[in-house]
Amino acid sequence: MTVRISPSVLAADFSALGVSVAAVEAGGADLIHVDVMDGHFVPNLTIGPPVVKALHRTAHVPLDVHLMITDPERYIDAFADAGAAMISVHVEAATHLHRTITHIKERGIQAGAVINPSTPVSALEEIAPELDFALVMSVNPGFGGQHFITGSDTKITRVRRLLDAAGNPAPVEVDGGVDCGNAARLVAAGAEILVAGAAIFGTPDPTEATRALRAAASPRVDPVLPAAR
Ligand code: DX5
Ligand code: ZN
């Protein structure tokens, strides 16, 4: 299984986003996670399409755009035009989820559905065959640097099983409180895309922190020891 690392620029220095992106790319980031918040669906305001457009100009890896906004349907075209490669929308915010997921895919973008910590896995049941990825929130969305909610790892496994039952090999992404201490467990639970903000940009060396997260997420290969005589 290939694990992809998606550093969240929410925790980066907004006055130097290009530098931050280059730093994590040098550490092997596979994606750049972009948190879009509207002050309505979540109690925080962040960025919109112009910043995504600027990130698209500077990034060499695909942009993984996480929409934490009410009625995301209204903004799919704007984020598609801005250069998103992946767009995820919350099942709690999208009234016509099937229409929105279809719209994202019609724009040639990978479409994902996100569930909050209190939303049951079954909320993804009908849409599961259509998804390019599913995102499990392991914190309540709105802020970076929160603690991983216990039990989110078993939720990842249940989403993995739901996708498998729908015959869909789409990856499961996990977002919130991911760090070197839990990465291996999350991958073992079925996560293939790890989002990390504070664990990468909250450190003095985001390049090294990206490398460290990948190493922590990789299955450990124990050295073959010579047999004892
Ligand atoms: C939370 C955001 C996350 C956040 C993760 O609402 O969706 O992507 O940036 O940050 P950490 O890794 O610091 O929990
Ligand atoms: Zn996010």
Side-chain angles (χ1 to χ4, degrees):
M1 182 167 68
T2 324
V3 176
R4 283 180 281 171
I5 307 293
S6 190
S8 165
V9 290
L10 183 63
D13 177 354
F14 272 30
S15 72
L17 280 179
V19 173
S20 300
V21 167
V24 294
E25 286 180 341
D30 301 283
L31 303 165
I32 297 293
H33 187 83
V34 187
D35 288 306
V36 176
M37 306 186 186
D38 67 352
H40 188 261
F41 177 65
V42 290
N44 197 3
L45 282 165
T46 55
I47 64 177
V51 176
V52 173
K53 197 172 174 182
L55 285 167
H56 184 237
R57 275 200 303 272
T58 190
H60 296 89
V61 298
L63 300 181
D64 165 27
V65 177
H66 175 192
L67 298 185
M68 286 159 277
I69 63 176
T70 301
D71 197 7
E73 176 64 29
R74 288 178 299 161
Y75 294 99
I76 299 304
D77 283 327
F79 285 104
D81 293 342
M86 300 163 69
I87 294 180
S88 55
V89 297
H90 275 258
V91 303
E92 305 86 3
T95 311
H96 302 289
L97 182 62
H98 186 276
R99 176 181 291 149
T100 305
I101 293 292
T102 304
H103 184 176
I104 296 169
K105 290 166 73 170
E106 280 172 358
R107 289 294 316 251
I109 292 164
Q110 300 259 300
V114 194
I115 52 173
N116 275 338
S118 67
T119 301
V121 170
S122 60
L124 294 172
E125 195 175 330
E126 301 300 326
I127 202 68
E130 312 300 329
L131 298 177
D132 293 313
F133 63 104
L135 171 47
V136 173
M137 288 307 301
S138 41
V139 298
N140 288 295
F143 303 95
Q146 302 182 79
H147 289 297
F148 183 88
I149 295 175
T150 314
S152 304
D153 38 357
T154 64
K155 204 171 179 189
I156 291 166
T157 304
R158 285 181 285 130
V159 171
R160 178 69 268 150
R161 288 194 188 128
L162 181 72
L163 289 165
D164 288 345
N168 188 347
V172 178
E173 179 171 20
V174 59
D175 184 5
V178 175
D179 60 24
C180 289
N182 57 22
R185 199 172 85 231
L186 302 178
V187 170
E192 291 179 70
I193 305 174
L194 304 182
V195 176
I200 288 179
F201 291 109
T203 72
D205 187 346
T207 302
E208 192 44 45
T210 306
R211 282 195 200 110
L213 186 61
R214 179 181 302 289
S218 304
R220 245 186 77 212
V221 180
D222 287 321
V224 180
L225 299 173
R229 296 186 191 216

